[in-house]
Amino acid sequence: MSSAQPSTGAHTLKPVLSTLQLWGIAVGLVISGEYFGWSFGWASAGTLGFTVTALFIAAMYTTFIFSFTELTTAIPHAGGPFAYSKRAFGPTGGYLAGAATLVEFVFAPPAIALAIGAYLNVQFPSLDPKLAALGAYLVFMTLNIVGVQIAATFELCITVIAIFELLVFMGVVSPGFSMANFTKGGWSGSDDFSWAAIPGMFAAIPFAIWFFLAIEGVAMAAEEAKDPKRSIPIAYITGILTLVFLAVGVMVFAGGAGDWTKLANINDPLPQAMKLIVGENSGWLHMLVWLGLFGLVASFHGIILGYSRQIYALSREAFLPSYFAKVHPRFKTPHRAILAGGVVGIAAIYSDAFITIGGQSLTANIVTMSVFGAILMYILSMLSLFKLRRSEPAMARPFRAPLYPFFPAFALLGALVCMGTMIYYNPLIFGLFVGFLVLGYGYFKMTGQQRADALPLGVSAPIAK
């Protein structure tokens, strides 16, 4: 890698993050998915069908993270998947992975911000949910700008609280747990498995992905890790194991608490499941409702860190305007990139009531769009791993994917199955996603000279030591 500064005049990011802070980011990015969203998968697959789907997706993510860690430690770059695909397939590969990651990380936060707003509206009915969502953006963009060390410490604290709350949920509902409740109608409404349950299990794939979506964002903090070659593998692997345990736990205990069909189409399955056991006036229930906010905040805050580093990295290598590649001279954070993603998210929040696509709100659709971005990025990352193993066998790989080529091959196969399923059930959103990529590719083609001027051919921006 070249040590020459890019012509943008950007400062390098500051390597300050510990292994524990990286674990907090890994789990925090995802943990809101344990609180809401996943239970919609029960509506089509049933509890047992969705368990099979969720275990398949958990296996896909586990093998993906073990494989992805090889890339993250070999190429510790703020662009994450963008840098890996660019190294493997050149600028066009870098563009596709960068655009896909950008879609995933910029489009997910508005939905989480609105969930935070809706949650606060329940507690304070006079509070406008959109105003609360705007407030969340302003508070957590500011926290991310002030410094990554402060932001990561805050992320670690709220992540630990969110995990504690999930463990409390499992403990409180366990006395009323019944396997008969969990298995009743568990195969898409039937007590017994039949081939008729298969379509519902495929339809539930996006909701199983929600359990783990965005854990790969740790890659974008690689330049800010003190010792990325050691700490990133530990953070990733312990992070995915933590999330698999929590996902299985909340799903099983919620489903066994009572009539799971009452939880299948609501945004707050955990409080409602607990209510079946302890009643509406229990102090446990009130604690869960209040502290449940920490799960949403952890993911929202962490994804702001992720999208800002992606915008920064793409801008630093002239895939986006170099204006966004500036790092704050005092705080050493990509402040312009943080604000840019926030502007997009806030615009989405205030457009939600006016734009509907396919009968769904804008927010529901951009969540689906975010998942499309994630899956395309997973596919390109695994292809990059295979390509670099062949084209650069001598590359330093501090962590090597175990059981190669089987782990990355399973992750790639799982991602392809997810992509096919998502296209089948969401053709209109997929068309918009492709349209977005095509428009971005037009910009990419028009700015080739800009990239040539920014850095010599084949040279990437520096990695902070």
Side-chain angles (χ1 to χ4, degrees):
M1 292 290 189
S2 169
S3 60
Q5 283 281 5
S7 62
T8 60
H11 299 275
T12 54
L13 300 171
K14 191 175 179 183
V16 295
L17 299 180
S18 68
T19 303
L20 188 59
Q21 287 172 318
L22 288 168
W23 170 84
I25 292 170
V27 179
L29 279 163
V30 184
I31 200 163
S32 68
E34 324 295 356
Y35 280 87
F36 79 104
W38 57 268
S39 64
F40 291 104
W42 282 348
S44 62
T47 47
L48 295 174
F50 186 64
T51 299
V52 174
T53 300
L55 289 175
F56 169 73
I57 295 299
M60 181 194 82
Y61 267 93
T62 302
T63 53
F64 170 77
I65 287 300
F66 272 98
S67 305
F68 192 70
T69 303
E70 176 175 316
L71 295 167
T72 307
T73 52
I75 311 170
H77 189 286
F82 153 73
Y84 319 148
S85 290
K86 182 169 178 279
R87 180 84 167 249
F89 301 112
T92 301
Y95 159 72
L96 278 174
T101 309
L102 203 58
V103 168
E104 176 188 3
F105 278 83
V106 172
F107 285 0
I112 300 174
L114 281 170
I116 291 172
Y119 168 85
L120 290 173
N121 176 254
V122 171
Q123 304 298 327
F124 306 103
S126 61
L127 180 64
D128 180 357
K130 290 184 179 178
L131 186 61
L134 171 63
Y137 260 105
L138 296 178
V139 168
F140 295 110
M141 284 193 300
T142 301
L143 191 56
N144 269 278
I145 289 171
V146 167
V148 70
Q149 178 79 295
I150 295 170
T153 301
F154 176 80
E155 179 79 351
L156 176 62
C157 292
I158 56 176
T159 296
V160 169
I161 293 170
I163 291 172
F164 169 74
E165 188 59 25
L166 293 174
L167 295 175
V168 167
F169 164 78
M170 294 181 215
V172 171
V173 301
S174 60
F177 175 83
S178 165
M179 185 55 72
N181 287 337
F182 185 78
T183 57
K184 185 179 180 182
W187 298 104
S188 298
S190 174
D191 289 342
D192 300 307
F193 173 78
S194 70
W195 291 109
I198 298 292
M201 291 161 66
F202 276 99
I205 281 177
F207 305 109
I209 289 173
W210 192 244
F211 268 134
F212 307 103
L213 184 73
I215 187 175
E216 65 279 359
V218 175
M220 284 165 265
E223 290 185 37
E224 292 159 285
K226 291 178 185 175
D227 184 8
K229 294 177 180 178
R230 174 185 173 275
S231 58
I232 285 176
I234 295 171
Y236 261 142
I237 292 164
T238 55
I240 192 67
L241 293 176
T242 301
L243 289 163
V244 169
F245 168 76
L246 293 173
V248 173
V250 297
M251 181 172 59
V252 170
F253 279 104
D259 182 359
W260 61 262
T261 60
K262 294 179 179 178
L263 310 176
N265 281 302
I266 57 175
N267 266 325
D268 56 344
L270 301 194
Q272 297 303 322
M274 187 181 279
K275 192 184 294 183
L276 297 173
I277 303 295
V278 299
E280 291 190 25
N281 299 315
S282 169
W284 289 113
L285 180 63
H286 291 295
M287 186 179 76
L288 180 77
V289 171
W290 269 109
L291 294 186
L293 180 64
F294 285 92
L296 295 174
V297 167
S299 292
F300 181 67
H301 178 60
I303 292 174
I304 289 177
L305 188 149
Y307 81 58
S308 62
R309 271 56 180 181
Q310 187 67 16
I311 293 172
Y312 163 78
L314 289 168
S315 304
R316 189 173 62 180
E317 300 197 26
F319 283 73
L320 288 174
S322 60
Y323 174 84
F324 301 113
K326 303 291 184 182
V327 173
H328 195 284
R330 177 183 172 191
F331 300 127
K332 299 291 187 271
T333 52
H335 58 299
R336 293 179 179 177
I338 291 169
L339 293 171
V343 168
V344 174
I346 292 166
I349 286 168
Y350 280 92
S351 302
D352 185 61
F354 307 109
I355 300 175
T356 58
I357 303 169
Q360 290 188 305
S361 69
L362 178 65
T363 304
N365 284 298
I366 62 176
V367 167
T368 304
M369 185 85 81
S370 176
V371 175
F372 271 123
I375 296 170
L376 177 58
M377 183 271 286
Y378 301 159
I379 292 168
L380 290 170
S381 295
M382 291 302 95
L383 291 175
S384 297
L385 176 61
F386 284 117
K387 173 69 162 54
L388 290 170
R389 278 287 188 111
R390 291 198 308 272
S391 63
E392 299 190 45
M395 178 193 290
R397 291 175 170 87
F399 180 92
R400 297 177 73 88
L403 297 179
Y404 181 90
F406 301 107
F407 266 30
F410 183 87
L412 177 59
L413 174 64
L416 289 170
V417 169
C418 291
M419 180 61 85
T421 302
M422 290 287 295
I423 292 170
Y424 179 80
Y425 286 101
N426 303 277
L428 180 57
I429 305 303
F430 178 68
L432 292 172
F433 175 64
V434 171
F436 177 87
L437 293 179
V438 170
L439 287 173
Y441 186 70
Y443 175 84
F444 166 78
K445 294 298 286 184
M446 289 189 295
T447 54
Q449 189 59 47
Q450 181 180 325
R451 282 186 298 282
D453 293 342
L455 287 168
L457 185 64
V459 176
S460 293
I463 293 171
K465 301 292 185 189

